[in-house]
Amino acid sequence: MKRLLKRSNVFRFFLIGVAVFSFVLSTDVCFCKEKAEFKIREIPGSEFIKEVSGIAALSNGYYLLVDDYQGILMCTPDSKMKTLVSASSDKRFKELEGVCVSNDEKRVYVISESTSKVFEFPLEVKKGSMVLGKFRELGCLPRIGTNENQSWEGITLLCENGKEILVAGNQSKPKSLGYFELPGLKQISVENLPGEAKDELGDISDLAADQRTGNLFLLSDVTRTIVELARSGNGNYTLKRKIKIPADVIEHPEAICLESNGDLTVTGEGKLEFLRIVGY
C-alpha cells in the first residue's frame, strides 16, 4: 500500500511538472537572444564627432544624427559626414539628445536635453542630397524628474488612430515614457516602466519604435542593454525580449534606431561606429 502511495505521489508531481512546463511554453517569456549577430560599420573622417546621442535611419540609406556639441549631422550611404545644423552657429541646437523622422520622411524632430524644447524641420531632397528646411519650435516637454541632468533623453514616433504621436524617454528618476500629441505637444500620458524593464535598464539613453507592431525598443548605456516592450494601453507593458551589447563592441551605446528591414542600429560616444544588430 505504501508503495502504491509513493508511486501515486511521484506520478502526481510528474503531472504538475508537465503542466507548469506547458504553461511556460504558452506564455510570453523574456529571453536574452544569444544568436543576435553584431556587424560593425566604421565611419571614416568622423574624428570630430564624439558625443552622438540620437540616430534616425532613412529608407534611402541616409542617417540623421544629433551630437551634443556638433548639432544635427547627416551620414550618406557611402559613409560621408555632413553638418546640417551647427550647434556652434545656433546654441539652441547644443545638447540635443534625440532625433526621429516621420513615417513619410518629410519631417524631422529633435529634442534638447537642457531645455526640453522640441523642434520640427521639413526634410527635403535637393540635388540628390538630404536638406533640412526652416525649423519651427513646437514647445517644451514638461519636466517630470528631480535631476536636471537626467530629463528627456530620446524621442521616437508612434502611429495611433491614424495620427503620429511623439514618444519620449525620461532618463531616470523616474524611468518613464511620455506620450504627446503633434504638433502641439499636448500630454497624452506619462507611464512608468514595469519593474522587470527597470531592472534591466540602468537608464533610458534612447528609444525606437517598430511601426509594424507598435513595440518600443529602449536602450541603456549604463547596462548596455536593449529591451523590447509591447504596450497594451493604460500604462501596461510586456517585456518581450532583451539584447545585451558586449562591452568590446560598443562601450557606451547612446543612440538606437530601427531600419526599414527590422534590423537595429546602435551608435554611441567616442569613435563613431554603427553597430547593426540582425537576427535578434
Side-chain angles (χ1 to χ4, degrees), residues 178-243:
Y179 296 81
F180 305 91
E181 293 181 359
L182 286 172
L185 300 183
K186 180 182 178 181
Q187 181 176 309
I188 301 170
S189 63
V190 174
E191 302 166 0
N192 291 334
L193 298 185
E196 53 188 348
K198 287 181 181 179
D199 293 341
E200 295 294 338
L201 300 171
D203 66 343
I204 300 177
S205 297
D206 200 10
L207 68 162
D210 187 339
Q211 302 299 337
R212 299 164 298 181
T213 64
N215 291 355
L216 295 169
F217 292 88
L218 276 59
L219 169 68
S220 168
D221 79 310
V222 174
T223 58
R224 299 189 307 278
T225 301
I226 301 168
V227 300
E228 180 183 1
L229 293 180
R231 180 174 179 250
S232 56
N234 299 321
N236 295 319
Y237 295 87
T238 301
L239 180 57
K240 303 296 289 186
R241 76 186 81 202
K242 60 184 178 182
I243 304 170

Side-chain angles (χ1 to χ4, degrees), residues 61-80:
Y62 283 76
Y63 290 91
L64 295 175
L65 303 97
V66 291
D67 179 276
D68 287 5
Y69 302 106
Q70 301 299 327
I72 306 175
L73 309 162
M74 175 184 70
C75 181
T76 66
D78 58 353
S79 301
K80 301 290 178 56

Side-chain angles (χ1 to χ4, degrees), residues 35-173:
K35 295 183 180 179
E37 185 179 352
F38 300 102
K39 298 181 178 180
I40 285 287
R41 171 184 167 189
E42 295 187 1
I43 310 298
S46 59
E47 292 79 11
F48 66 100
I49 304 170
K50 298 294 184 183
E51 297 282 346
V52 171
S53 51
I55 184 171
L58 301 173
S59 59
N60 59 4
Y62 283 76
Y63 290 91
L64 295 175
L65 303 97
V66 291
D67 179 276
D68 287 5
Y69 302 106
Q70 301 299 327
I72 306 175
L73 309 162
M74 175 184 70
C75 181
T76 66
D78 58 353
S79 301
K80 301 290 178 56
M81 296 298 302
K82 178 182 177 181
T83 300
L84 299 179
V85 178
S86 172
S88 60
S89 300
D90 193 329
K91 301 300 183 183
R92 286 173 292 187
F93 301 110
K94 191 175 181 180
E95 297 184 355
L96 295 178
E97 283 291 340
V99 59
C100 59
V101 180
S102 61
N103 285 334
D104 60 9
E105 298 189 348
K106 292 183 178 180
R107 295 176 306 283
V108 175
Y109 299 91
V110 297
I111 185 170
S112 166
E113 181 185 26
S114 58
T115 65
S116 296
K117 289 182 178 179
V118 178
F119 302 90
E120 179 191 75
F121 290 82
L123 180 61
E124 306 169 6
V125 179
K126 290 184 177 180
K127 297 181 180 180
S129 183
M130 311 301 291
V131 178
L132 295 181
K134 186 177 180 180
F135 72 88
R136 62 171 175 162
E137 185 180 313
L138 301 185
C140 297
L141 299 188
R143 285 191 174 271
I144 61 172
T146 57
N147 191 331
E148 291 189 2
N149 293 324
Q150 294 184 334
S151 56
W152 302 107
E153 275 280 304
I155 53 175
T156 189
L157 297 178
L158 267 181
C159 190
E160 287 192 353
N161 302 318
K163 294 183 178 180
E164 286 184 321
I165 62 172
L166 186 75
V167 186
N170 196 68
Q171 184 181 10
S172 185
K173 298 180 182 180

Side-chain angles (χ1 to χ4, degrees), residues 14-27:
F14 173 77
L15 289 178
I16 292 172
V18 170
V20 171
F21 183 69
S22 300
F23 173 77
V24 170
L25 285 181
S26 63
T27 306

